[in-house]
Amino acid sequence: MDVIILADRKGQELLPLTDNTCVPLLPMAGKPVLEHTLEALVEAGFRQAHIVVSPYAEQVKETFGTGERWGLALTYSTSRGEENPLQIITSLQNPPTLPFLVLRGDIVRSGPIKDFLEQAEQLDAPYVQALFDGANGFVLLCNNPRYAGLELLSWTETRRPSSGIELTGAIALLDSLAAFHQTNLDAAASRLALILPGRQTALGLTQGRNTEAYPQNIKQGIALIGAYCSLHPSVELSGEVVIGDNVIIDRRASIENTVILPHSYIGELVELRNAIVRGNDLIRIDNGAVLKISDTFLLADLTTNPIHKGLGAAYNRIVGVLLLLLSSPLWLFATLLVLARKPAKAFVKSCLRGNKIQLDEFGLPQRAEFKTWEFQLNSPVLRFLPRIIAVISGDLRLVGALPVSLETAGQRTEDWEKFADQAPAGLLGPTQLTIPADAPDEEKLMSDSFYWANFSIEQDFRYLLQAVQTLLSRKAWFS
């Protein structure tokens, strides 16, 4: 029997989730929405299907290919988006042979298609429709050469069906952000019977391959975690939580009744309740507000932001200890040198914003201040020597942007200024090594923005070599 899958929704009702992909590819309980329909067809015994797509058609074809992974032979055609199903079927290059099955693949359903077919084939009717608790199941068996009944599969169809075959199961139309959120949670909690990926590793905890999660992460409830994720042991998950592939959740984060889409970073001490997170987009389900979080220490998109592509925190601290030991002779020399040159003002104390996260007076996470001091010398290597201690404590990275005070950071309001704020603060970096200490703040900010826009680990190693060269230069000791 021929099968036609309509998956051509435009997805305007699910923005911003569909601003760079389509509804069939949105993550639903660890899999693309359309994959659940394909699995249901395979379970019913089908081995071929034709998929009608519209927006982001190439993404769909690239994701599902020929269908070999599911034991299906898939073919594709395109529509203008949410077209009348009758027009779609009649315009197909290879029209289906009667009888044929038509169903939507941009919604989620849990009813057995095989049971529907067994009952529908016994009826003498031009078409037979599947119902779930009296509602349109968007599954139809067409027996009529005039393709009667196909309009019932239109995404814009609002009429309640007058008749059809009632199936055991449920249907989720995904017609709002709240519905998308709830359907993910329903699937994780088995209220919507779907084939879920991963394996159960503890009571209430199901996780995908190569995922680092711990039984103590579950405080109360159920969590479905995708593949290649990393959760710190202190992370708390409660209620119902769905986490996509390639997600990092940092220390002491608290997640409740939330859906986290793939390639998202959740920062230290961040609390999420009844939300959808996609990269640095925070969607609140209670009021529908969509917040763009600019501070990558709170939320970040791991596909575009290199916040966790640099050298790890443990590496920075270990190197900091080694650097402190190796630099111990320089401390005495720098002290004597600064006392000889500027005995009245040899040292300057300051409070700077580091990389650690703490809760502010309103209970919101923010980057914490740390106290430090510096030698009043021209050489950046010698001047920032005391900040090695901040690297060991985790307040600074070895290489990063110039650390500034919370007051200075608060005055940055332009987008390009906030972009520089996304970079971790470092002991060394292009601004510390190449920009004079008395240069205008705008010049320093531009330097940090350029550093972050062109970040790479190789570049960080070059700055370390530049620091060594500066240390060995005549300017480091004489000016």
Side-chain angles (χ1 to χ4, degrees), residues 199-447:
R199 61 188 180 89
Q200 186 169 355
T201 56
L203 183 62
L205 176 61
T206 301
Q207 64 186 68
R209 62 188 182 279
N210 298 317
T211 281
E212 185 178 359
Y214 306 88
Q216 65 264 30
N217 290 140
I218 301 293
K219 294 307 174 185
Q220 183 179 4
I222 293 172
L224 174 63
I225 305 175
Y228 303 100
C229 295
S230 176
L231 279 68
H232 191 271
S234 61
V235 170
E236 294 187 356
L237 306 177
S238 57
E240 295 161 357
V241 177
V242 175
I243 299 173
D245 296 341
N246 298 287
V247 169
I248 297 174
I249 305 183
D250 218 330
R251 294 172 178 81
R252 294 179 289 171
S254 177
I255 318 293
E256 180 180 345
N257 295 328
T258 291
V259 177
I260 302 174
L261 301 193
H263 305 288
S264 299
Y265 166 73
I266 312 299
E268 186 175 350
L269 285 172
V270 168
E271 294 186 4
L272 298 171
R273 301 284 183 274
N274 299 310
I276 300 172
V277 174
R278 185 194 63 169
N280 63 334
D281 290 329
L282 174 62
I283 303 171
R284 294 182 53 180
I285 298 304
D286 56 353
N287 58 15
V290 180
L291 307 176
K292 182 77 70 174
I293 308 300
S294 60
D295 192 338
T296 57
F297 283 77
L298 303 180
L299 297 179
D301 184 346
L302 296 178
T303 62
T304 60
N305 198 293
I307 186 169
H308 280 279
K309 297 178 185 176
L311 307 177
Y315 172 88
N316 277 272
R317 294 191 181 197
I318 292 171
V319 173
V321 172
L322 295 175
L323 196 58
L324 181 63
L325 295 175
L326 292 173
S327 65
S328 54
L330 297 179
W331 286 73
L332 177 59
F333 186 87
T335 301
L336 295 175
L337 185 61
V338 74
L339 289 175
R341 293 184 175 183
K342 300 179 180 180
K345 197 175 182 181
F347 313 102
V348 175
K349 294 182 179 180
S350 58
C351 287
L352 302 173
R353 185 188 64 172
N355 299 323
K356 287 184 177 179
I357 302 295
Q358 69 176 14
L359 297 179
D360 63 14
E361 57 185 308
F362 302 105
L364 300 175
Q366 68 172 9
R367 292 165 70 173
E369 278 188 320
F370 68 96
K371 294 181 179 179
T372 186
W373 54 281
E374 62 185 54
F375 292 110
Q376 285 291 79
L377 295 171
N378 292 330
S379 167
V381 175
L382 295 180
R383 183 166 69 248
F384 299 132
L385 204 57
R387 294 187 184 177
I388 294 177
I389 298 173
V391 176
I392 298 173
S393 66
D395 289 296
L396 293 179
R397 290 193 181 185
L398 196 59
V399 181
L402 179 70
V404 297
S405 66
L406 283 177
E407 181 181 3
T408 299
Q411 295 172 351
R412 297 174 175 177
T413 57
E414 299 294 332
D415 289 342
W416 72 273
E417 294 176 326
K418 292 180 179 180
F419 178 76
D421 266 351
Q422 296 177 14
L427 170 68
L428 302 168
T431 305
Q432 297 91 313
L433 291 170
T434 62
I435 306 298
D438 57 354
D441 289 341
E442 289 79 4
E443 184 177 350
K444 298 175 182 177
L445 193 57
M446 286 293 294
S447 174

Side-chain angles (χ1 to χ4, degrees), residues 88-147:
I88 292 176
I89 301 300
T90 54
S91 64
L92 289 177
Q93 186 174 1
N94 297 309
T97 302
L98 294 173
F100 61 91
L101 181 70
V102 190
L103 71 169
R104 296 212 67 92
D106 42 24
I107 62 175
V108 178
R109 65 182 70 76
S110 64
I113 294 178
K114 186 176 182 180
D115 289 354
F116 166 73
L117 288 174
E118 290 176 351
Q119 298 179 58
E121 289 173 341
Q122 297 177 10
L123 300 178
D124 184 16
Y127 67 89
V128 184
Q129 185 178 15
L131 306 178
F132 292 92
D133 195 21
N136 189 349
F138 290 94
V139 179
L140 184 140
L141 180 66
C142 183
N143 295 308
N144 189 288
R146 295 185 178 182
Y147 302 152

Side-chain angles (χ1 to χ4, degrees), residues 4 28 49 54 102 120 171 189 257 296 323 368 378 470 472:
I4 308 296
M28 175 55 58
S54 181
V102 190
I171 186 168
N257 295 328
T296 57
L323 196 58
N378 292 330
T470 303
L472 298 177

